[in-house]
Amino acid sequence: MHNQFDYMGPNMFLMFLIPLVILLVVGLSIYMINKNNNENRGDKETALDILDKRYANGEIDEEEYLKKKKILKN
C-alpha cells in the first residue's frame, strides 16, 4: 500500500533546501552590509580631529585654533 509521500522522493528534499539556501543568502547579505557599514563609520575623522592635526602640522596658529575649537564645541 502506498501513501502520499511515496511519490515526492527527491522533490521533498528540494522543498526544504531551496528556502534554506535563500534564507542563508539573505542573512549573509545583511551581515556583510552591516559589517561594511560599521567599518566605514570607524574611519571617519571628526572636525575636532582634523582641526587638531592642522594645528599640530602648523597650518593654523594658536589663535585661529582656539577660535575654531570654541566654535566646534558649541
Coordinates of all heavy atoms in Angstrom, one line a residue:
M1 N 0.8 -1.2 0.0 CA 0.0 0.0 0.0 C 0.9 1.2 0.0 O 1.9 1.3 0.7 CB -0.9 0.0 1.2 CG -1.9 0.9 1.2 SD -3.2 0.2 2.3 CE -4.3 1.5 2.3
H2 N 0.5 2.2 -0.8 CA 1.3 3.5 -0.9 C 0.6 4.6 -0.2 O -0.6 4.7 -0.2 CB 1.5 3.8 -2.4 CG 2.2 2.8 -3.2 ND1 3.6 2.7 -3.1 CD2 1.8 1.9 -4.1 CE1 3.9 1.8 -3.9 NE2 2.9 1.2 -4.5
N3 N 1.5 5.5 0.3 CA 0.9 6.7 0.9 C 1.3 7.9 0.1 O 2.0 7.8 -0.9 CB 1.3 6.9 2.4 CG 2.8 7.1 2.6 OD1 3.4 7.5 1.7 ND2 3.3 6.7 3.7
Q4 N 0.8 9.1 0.4 CA 1.0 10.3 -0.4 C 2.5 10.7 -0.5 O 2.9 11.4 -1.4 CB 0.2 11.4 0.1 CG 0.6 11.9 1.5 CD -0.4 12.9 2.1 OE1 -1.4 13.2 1.5 NE2 0.0 13.4 3.2
F5 N 3.3 10.3 0.5 CA 4.7 10.7 0.5 C 5.7 9.8 -0.4 O 6.8 10.2 -0.6 CB 5.3 10.8 1.9 CG 4.6 11.8 2.8 CD1 3.7 11.4 3.8 CD2 4.7 13.2 2.5 CE1 3.0 12.3 4.5 CE2 4.1 14.1 3.3 CZ 3.2 13.7 4.3
D6 N 5.2 8.7 -0.8 CA 6.0 7.8 -1.6 C 6.3 8.5 -3.0 O 7.4 8.1 -3.6 CB 5.2 6.5 -1.9 CG 5.2 5.6 -0.7 OD1 6.0 5.9 0.2 OD2 4.4 4.7 -0.6
Y7 N 5.5 9.4 -3.5 CA 5.8 9.9 -4.8 C 6.6 11.2 -4.8 O 7.0 11.7 -5.8 CB 4.4 10.2 -5.5 CG 3.6 9.0 -5.6 CD1 2.5 8.7 -4.8 CD2 4.0 8.0 -6.5 CE1 1.8 7.5 -4.9 CE2 3.2 6.8 -6.7 CZ 2.1 6.6 -5.9 OH 1.4 5.4 -6.0
M8 N 6.9 11.8 -3.6 CA 7.6 13.0 -3.6 C 9.1 12.8 -3.7 O 9.8 13.6 -4.3 CB 7.3 13.8 -2.3 CG 5.9 14.3 -2.3 SD 5.7 15.5 -1.0 CE 4.1 16.0 -1.3
G9 N 9.7 11.8 -3.1 CA 11.1 11.5 -3.2 C 12.0 12.6 -3.1 O 12.0 13.4 -2.1
P10 N 12.8 12.9 -4.2 CA 13.8 14.0 -4.2 C 13.2 15.4 -4.1 O 13.8 16.3 -3.6 CB 14.6 13.8 -5.5 CG 14.1 12.6 -6.1 CD 12.9 12.1 -5.4
N11 N 12.0 15.5 -4.6 CA 11.3 16.8 -4.6 C 11.0 17.3 -3.2 O 11.1 18.5 -2.9 CB 10.0 16.7 -5.3 CG 10.2 16.5 -6.8 OD1 11.3 16.9 -7.3 ND2 9.2 16.0 -7.5
M12 N 10.8 16.4 -2.3 CA 10.6 16.7 -0.9 C 11.8 17.4 -0.3 O 11.8 18.3 0.5 CB 10.2 15.5 -0.1 CG 9.8 15.7 1.3 SD 8.2 16.5 1.3 CE 7.7 16.1 3.0
F13 N 13.0 16.8 -0.6 CA 14.3 17.4 -0.2 C 14.5 18.8 -0.7 O 14.9 19.7 0.0 CB 15.4 16.5 -0.7 CG 16.8 17.0 -0.3 CD1 17.2 17.0 1.0 CD2 17.6 17.5 -1.2 CE1 18.5 17.5 1.4 CE2 18.9 18.0 -0.9 CZ 19.3 17.9 0.4
L14 N 14.1 19.1 -2.0 CA 14.3 20.4 -2.6 C 13.3 21.4 -2.0 O 13.6 22.6 -1.9 CB 14.1 20.3 -4.1 CG 15.2 19.6 -4.9 CD1 14.8 19.5 -6.4 CD2 16.5 20.3 -4.7
M15 N 12.2 20.9 -1.5 CA 11.2 21.8 -0.9 C 11.8 22.5 0.3 O 11.4 23.6 0.7 CB 9.9 21.1 -0.6 CG 9.0 20.9 -1.7 SD 7.4 20.0 -1.4 CE 7.0 20.4 0.3
F16 N 12.6 21.8 1.0 CA 13.3 22.3 2.2 C 14.6 23.0 2.0 O 15.0 23.9 2.6 CB 13.5 21.2 3.3 CG 12.2 20.7 3.8 CD1 11.7 19.4 3.5 CD2 11.4 21.5 4.7 CE1 10.5 18.9 4.0 CE2 10.2 21.0 5.2 CZ 9.7 19.7 4.8
L17 N 15.3 22.5 1.0 CA 16.7 23.0 0.7 C 16.6 24.4 0.1 O 17.4 25.3 0.5 CB 17.4 22.0 -0.3 CG 18.8 22.4 -0.6 CD1 19.7 22.4 0.7 CD2 19.4 21.5 -1.6
I18 N 15.7 24.6 -0.9 CA 15.7 25.9 -1.6 C 15.4 27.1 -0.6 O 16.1 28.1 -0.6 CB 14.7 25.9 -2.8 CG1 15.4 24.9 -3.9 CG2 14.5 27.3 -3.4 CD1 14.5 24.6 -5.0
P19 N 14.3 27.0 0.2 CA 14.1 28.1 1.1 C 15.2 28.3 2.1 O 15.6 29.4 2.5 CB 12.8 27.7 1.8 CG 12.2 26.7 1.0 CD 13.2 26.0 0.2
L20 N 15.9 27.2 2.5 CA 17.0 27.3 3.4 C 18.2 28.0 2.8 O 18.8 28.9 3.4 CB 17.4 25.9 3.9 CG 18.5 25.8 4.9 CD1 18.1 26.4 6.2 CD2 18.9 24.4 5.1
V21 N 18.5 27.7 1.5 CA 19.5 28.4 0.8 C 19.2 29.9 0.7 O 20.0 30.8 0.9 CB 19.8 27.8 -0.5 CG1 20.7 28.6 -1.4 CG2 20.4 26.4 -0.4
I22 N 17.9 30.2 0.3 CA 17.5 31.6 0.2 C 17.7 32.4 1.5 O 18.2 33.5 1.5 CB 16.1 31.7 -0.4 CG1 16.0 31.2 -1.8 CG2 15.5 33.1 -0.2 CD1 14.6 31.0 -2.4
L23 N 17.3 31.8 2.6 CA 17.4 32.4 3.9 C 18.9 32.6 4.3 O 19.3 33.6 4.8 CB 16.7 31.6 5.0 CG 15.2 31.7 5.1 CD1 14.7 30.7 6.1 CD2 14.8 33.1 5.4
L24 N 19.7 31.7 3.9 CA 21.1 31.8 4.2 C 21.8 32.9 3.4 O 22.5 33.7 3.9 CB 21.8 30.4 3.9 CG 23.3 30.3 4.2 CD1 23.5 30.4 5.7 CD2 23.9 29.0 3.6
V25 N 21.4 33.0 2.1 CA 21.9 34.1 1.3 C 21.5 35.5 1.8 O 22.3 36.4 1.9 CB 21.5 33.9 -0.2 CG1 21.8 35.1 -1.0 CG2 22.2 32.7 -0.8
V26 N 20.2 35.6 2.2 CA 19.7 36.9 2.7 C 20.4 37.2 4.0 O 20.8 38.4 4.2 CB 18.1 36.8 2.8 CG1 17.6 38.0 3.6 CG2 17.5 36.7 1.5
G27 N 20.5 36.3 4.9 CA 21.1 36.5 6.2 C 22.6 36.9 6.0 O 23.1 37.8 6.7
L28 N 23.3 36.2 5.1 CA 24.7 36.6 4.9 C 24.8 37.9 4.2 O 25.7 38.7 4.6 CB 25.3 35.5 4.0 CG 26.8 35.6 3.8 CD1 27.6 35.4 5.1 CD2 27.3 34.5 2.8
S29 N 23.9 38.3 3.4 CA 24.0 39.6 2.7 C 23.8 40.7 3.8 O 24.5 41.7 3.8 CB 22.9 39.7 1.7 OG 23.1 38.8 0.7
I30 N 22.8 40.5 4.7 CA 22.5 41.5 5.7 C 23.8 41.6 6.6 O 24.2 42.8 7.0 CB 21.3 41.1 6.5 CG1 20.0 41.3 5.6 CG2 21.1 42.0 7.8 CD1 18.8 40.7 6.2
Y31 N 24.4 40.5 7.0 CA 25.6 40.6 7.8 C 26.7 41.3 7.2 O 27.3 42.2 7.8 CB 26.0 39.1 8.1 CG 27.3 39.0 8.8 CD1 27.4 39.3 10.2 CD2 28.5 38.7 8.1 CE1 28.7 39.3 10.8 CE2 29.7 38.6 8.7 CZ 29.8 38.9 10.1 OH 31.0 38.9 10.7
M32 N 26.9 41.1 5.9 CA 28.0 41.7 5.2 C 27.8 43.2 5.0 O 28.7 44.0 5.2 CB 28.3 41.1 3.8 CG 28.7 39.6 3.9 SD 30.3 39.4 4.7 CE 31.4 40.1 3.6
I33 N 26.5 43.6 4.8 CA 26.2 45.0 4.7 C 26.4 45.8 6.0 O 27.0 46.8 6.0 CB 24.8 45.2 4.2 CG1 24.7 44.8 2.7 CG2 24.3 46.7 4.3 CD1 23.2 44.7 2.2
N34 N 26.0 45.2 7.1 CA 26.2 45.8 8.4 C 27.6 45.8 8.8 O 28.1 46.8 9.4 CB 25.4 45.0 9.5 CG 23.9 45.3 9.4 OD1 23.5 46.3 9.0 ND2 23.1 44.4 9.9
K35 N 28.4 44.8 8.5 CA 29.8 44.8 8.8 C 30.5 45.9 8.0 O 31.4 46.6 8.6 CB 30.4 43.4 8.4 CG 31.8 43.3 8.7 CD 32.4 41.9 8.4 CE 33.8 41.8 8.6 NZ 34.4 40.6 8.0
N36 N 30.2 46.0 6.8 CA 30.8 47.1 5.9 C 30.5 48.5 6.4 O 31.3 49.4 6.5 CB 30.4 46.9 4.5 CG 31.1 47.8 3.5 OD1 32.3 48.2 3.8 ND2 30.5 48.1 2.4
N37 N 29.2 48.7 6.8 CA 28.8 50.0 7.3 C 29.5 50.3 8.6 O 29.9 51.5 8.9 CB 27.3 50.0 7.6 CG 26.5 50.2 6.3 OD1 27.1 50.5 5.2 ND2 25.2 49.8 6.3
N38 N 29.7 49.4 9.5 CA 30.4 49.6 10.8 C 31.8 49.9 10.6 O 32.4 50.8 11.3 CB 30.2 48.4 11.7 CG 28.8 48.2 12.2 OD1 28.0 49.2 12.2 ND2 28.5 47.0 12.6
E39 N 32.5 49.3 9.6 CA 33.9 49.6 9.3 C 34.0 51.0 8.8 O 35.0 51.7 9.1 CB 34.4 48.5 8.4 CG 34.7 47.2 9.0 CD 35.1 46.1 8.0 OE1 35.2 46.5 6.8 OE2 35.3 45.0 8.4
N40 N 33.1 51.4 7.9 CA 33.2 52.7 7.3 C 33.0 53.8 8.4 O 33.6 54.9 8.3 CB 32.2 52.9 6.2 CG 32.7 52.1 5.0 OD1 33.8 51.7 4.8 ND2 31.7 51.8 4.1
R41 N 32.1 53.6 9.3 CA 31.9 54.6 10.3 C 33.1 54.8 11.2 O 33.3 55.9 11.6 CB 30.7 54.1 11.2 CG 29.6 55.0 11.3 CD 28.5 54.6 12.1 NE 27.5 53.9 11.3 CZ 26.8 52.9 11.6 NH1 27.0 52.3 12.7 NH2 25.9 52.4 10.7
G42 N 33.9 53.8 11.5 CA 35.0 54.0 12.3 C 36.2 54.8 11.7 O 37.1 55.3 12.3
D43 N 36.2 54.9 10.4 CA 37.3 55.5 9.6 C 37.1 57.0 9.6 O 38.1 57.7 9.2 CB 37.4 55.0 8.2 CG 37.8 53.5 8.2 OD1 38.4 53.1 9.2 OD2 37.6 52.9 7.2
K44 N 36.0 57.6 9.8 CA 35.7 59.0 9.7 C 36.3 59.8 10.8 O 36.2 59.4 12.0 CB 34.2 59.3 9.6 CG 33.6 58.7 8.3 CD 32.1 59.1 8.2 CE 31.5 58.5 7.0 NZ 30.1 58.7 6.8
E45 N 37.0 60.9 10.4 CA 37.5 61.8 11.4 C 36.5 62.8 11.8 O 35.7 63.3 10.9 CB 38.8 62.5 10.9 CG 40.0 61.6 10.7 CD 41.2 62.3 10.2 OE1 41.0 63.0 9.2 OE2 42.2 62.3 10.9
T46 N 36.5 63.3 13.0 CA 35.6 64.4 13.4 C 36.3 65.7 13.0 O 37.5 65.7 12.7 CB 35.4 64.3 14.9 OG1 36.6 64.6 15.6 CG2 34.8 63.0 15.4
A47 N 35.5 66.7 13.1 CA 36.0 68.1 12.7 C 37.1 68.5 13.7 O 38.1 69.1 13.4 CB 34.9 69.1 12.7
L48 N 36.9 68.1 15.0 CA 38.0 68.4 16.0 C 39.3 67.6 15.7 O 40.4 68.2 15.9 CB 37.5 68.1 17.4 CG 36.5 69.1 18.0 CD1 35.9 68.6 19.3 CD2 37.2 70.4 18.2
D49 N 39.2 66.4 15.3 CA 40.4 65.7 14.9 C 41.2 66.4 13.8 O 42.4 66.5 13.8 CB 40.1 64.2 14.5 CG 39.5 63.4 15.6 OD1 39.8 63.7 16.8 OD2 38.8 62.4 15.3
I50 N 40.4 66.8 12.8 CA 41.1 67.5 11.7 C 41.7 68.8 12.1 O 42.8 69.1 11.7 CB 40.0 67.7 10.5 CG1 39.6 66.4 10.0 CG2 40.6 68.6 9.4 CD1 38.4 66.5 9.1
L51 N 41.0 69.5 13.0 CA 41.5 70.8 13.5 C 42.8 70.6 14.3 O 43.8 71.3 14.1 CB 40.4 71.5 14.3 CG 40.8 72.9 14.9 CD1 41.0 73.9 13.8 CD2 39.7 73.3 15.9
D52 N 42.8 69.5 15.1 CA 44.0 69.2 15.9 C 45.2 68.9 15.0 O 46.3 69.3 15.3 CB 43.7 68.0 16.8 CG 42.7 68.4 18.0 OD1 42.6 69.6 18.3 OD2 42.2 67.4 18.6
K53 N 44.9 68.1 14.0 CA 46.0 67.8 13.0 C 46.5 69.0 12.3 O 47.8 69.2 12.2 CB 45.5 66.8 12.0 CG 45.4 65.4 12.6 CD 45.0 64.4 11.5 CE 44.9 63.0 12.1 NZ 44.5 62.0 11.1
R54 N 45.6 69.9 11.9 CA 46.1 71.1 11.2 C 46.9 72.0 12.1 O 47.9 72.6 11.7 CB 44.9 71.9 10.7 CG 44.2 71.2 9.5 CD 43.1 72.1 9.0 NE 43.6 73.3 8.4 CZ 42.9 74.4 8.2 NH1 41.6 74.5 8.5 NH2 43.5 75.5 7.8
Y55 N 46.5 72.1 13.4 CA 47.3 72.9 14.4 C 48.7 72.2 14.6 O 49.7 72.9 14.7 CB 46.5 73.0 15.7 CG 47.2 73.8 16.7 CD1 47.6 75.1 16.6 CD2 47.6 73.2 17.9 CE1 48.3 75.8 17.6 CE2 48.3 73.9 18.9 CZ 48.6 75.2 18.7 OH 49.3 75.9 19.7
A56 N 48.7 70.9 14.8 CA 49.9 70.2 15.0 C 50.9 70.3 13.8 O 52.1 70.3 14.0 CB 49.6 68.7 15.3
N57 N 50.3 70.3 12.6 CA 51.2 70.4 11.4 C 51.6 71.9 11.2 O 52.4 72.1 10.2 CB 50.4 69.9 10.2 CG 50.3 68.4 10.2 OD1 51.0 67.7 10.9 ND2 49.2 67.9 9.6
G58 N 51.1 72.8 11.9 CA 51.5 74.2 11.8 C 50.7 74.9 10.7 O 51.1 76.0 10.2
E59 N 49.6 74.4 10.2 CA 48.9 75.0 9.2 C 48.1 76.2 9.7 O 47.8 77.1 8.9 CB 47.9 74.0 8.5 CG 48.6 72.8 7.8 CD 47.6 71.8 7.3 OE1 46.4 72.2 7.1 OE2 48.0 70.6 7.2
I60 N 47.7 76.2 11.0 CA 47.0 77.3 11.6 C 47.7 77.7 12.9 O 48.4 76.9 13.5 CB 45.5 77.0 11.8 CG1 45.4 75.8 12.7 CG2 44.7 76.8 10.6 CD1 43.9 75.4 13.1
D61 N 47.5 79.0 13.3 CA 48.2 79.4 14.5 C 47.3 79.1 15.7 O 46.1 78.7 15.6 CB 48.6 80.9 14.4 CG 47.4 81.8 14.2 OD1 46.3 81.3 14.2 OD2 47.6 83.0 14.1
E62 N 47.8 79.4 16.9 CA 47.1 79.1 18.1 C 45.8 79.9 18.3 O 44.8 79.4 18.7 CB 48.0 79.4 19.3 CG 47.3 79.0 20.7 CD 48.3 79.3 21.8 OE1 49.4 79.8 21.7 OE2 47.8 78.9 23.0
E63 N 45.8 81.1 17.9 CA 44.6 82.0 18.0 C 43.5 81.4 17.1 O 42.3 81.3 17.5 CB 44.9 83.4 17.5 CG 43.8 84.4 17.6 CD 44.1 85.8 17.1 OE1 45.3 86.1 17.0 OE2 43.2 86.5 16.7
E64 N 43.8 81.1 15.9 CA 42.8 80.5 15.0 C 42.3 79.2 15.5 O 41.1 78.8 15.4 CB 43.4 80.4 13.5 CG 42.4 80.0 12.5 CD 43.0 79.9 11.1 OE1 44.1 80.3 10.9 OE2 42.2 79.5 10.2
Y65 N 43.3 78.4 16.0 CA 42.9 77.0 16.5 C 41.9 77.2 17.7 O 40.9 76.5 17.7 CB 44.2 76.3 17.0 CG 44.0 75.1 17.8 CD1 43.6 73.9 17.1 CD2 44.1 75.0 19.2 CE1 43.3 72.7 17.8 CE2 43.9 73.9 19.9 CZ 43.5 72.7 19.2 OH 43.3 71.6 19.9
L66 N 42.2 78.0 18.6 CA 41.3 78.2 19.8 C 40.0 78.7 19.4 O 38.9 78.3 19.9 CB 42.0 79.1 20.8 CG 43.2 78.5 21.5 CD1 43.9 79.5 22.4 CD2 42.9 77.2 22.3
K67 N 40.0 79.6 18.5 CA 38.7 80.2 18.0 C 37.8 79.2 17.3 O 36.6 79.0 17.6 CB 39.0 81.4 17.0 CG 37.8 82.1 16.4 CD 38.3 83.2 15.5 CE 37.1 83.7 14.7 NZ 37.5 84.7 13.7
K68 N 38.4 78.4 16.4 CA 37.7 77.3 15.7 C 37.2 76.2 16.7 O 36.2 75.6 16.5 CB 38.5 76.8 14.6 CG 38.6 77.8 13.4 CD 39.3 77.3 12.2 CE 39.4 78.3 11.2 NZ 39.9 77.8 9.9
K69 N 38.1 75.9 17.6 CA 37.8 74.8 18.6 C 36.6 75.2 19.4 O 35.7 74.4 19.7 CB 39.0 74.6 19.5 CG 38.8 73.4 20.4 CD 40.1 73.0 21.1 CE 39.9 71.8 22.0 NZ 41.2 71.4 22.6
K70 N 36.5 76.5 19.8 CA 35.4 77.0 20.6 C 34.1 76.9 19.8 O 33.1 76.5 20.3 CB 35.7 78.5 21.0 CG 34.6 79.1 21.9 CD 35.0 80.5 22.3 CE 33.9 81.1 23.2 NZ 34.2 82.5 23.5
I71 N 34.2 77.3 18.5 CA 33.0 77.2 17.6 C 32.5 75.8 17.5 O 31.3 75.5 17.6 CB 33.3 77.8 16.3 CG1 33.5 79.4 16.4 CG2 32.2 77.5 15.3 CD1 34.1 80.0 15.1
L72 N 33.5 74.9 17.3 CA 33.1 73.5 17.1 C 32.5 72.8 18.3 O 31.6 72.0 18.2 CB 34.3 72.6 16.6 CG 34.8 72.9 15.2 CD1 36.0 72.2 14.9 CD2 33.7 72.5 14.2
K73 N 32.9 73.2 19.5 CA 32.4 72.6 20.7 C 31.0 73.1 21.1 O 30.3 72.5 21.8 CB 33.4 72.9 21.9 CG 34.6 72.0 21.8 CD 35.4 72.0 23.1 CE 36.5 71.0 23.0 NZ 37.2 70.9 24.3
N74 N 30.6 74.3 20.5 CA 29.3 74.8 20.8 C 28.3 74.2 19.9 O 28.1 73.6 19.1 CB 29.2 76.3 20.7 CG 30.0 77.0 21.8 OD1 30.1 76.4 22.9 ND2 30.4 78.2 21.6

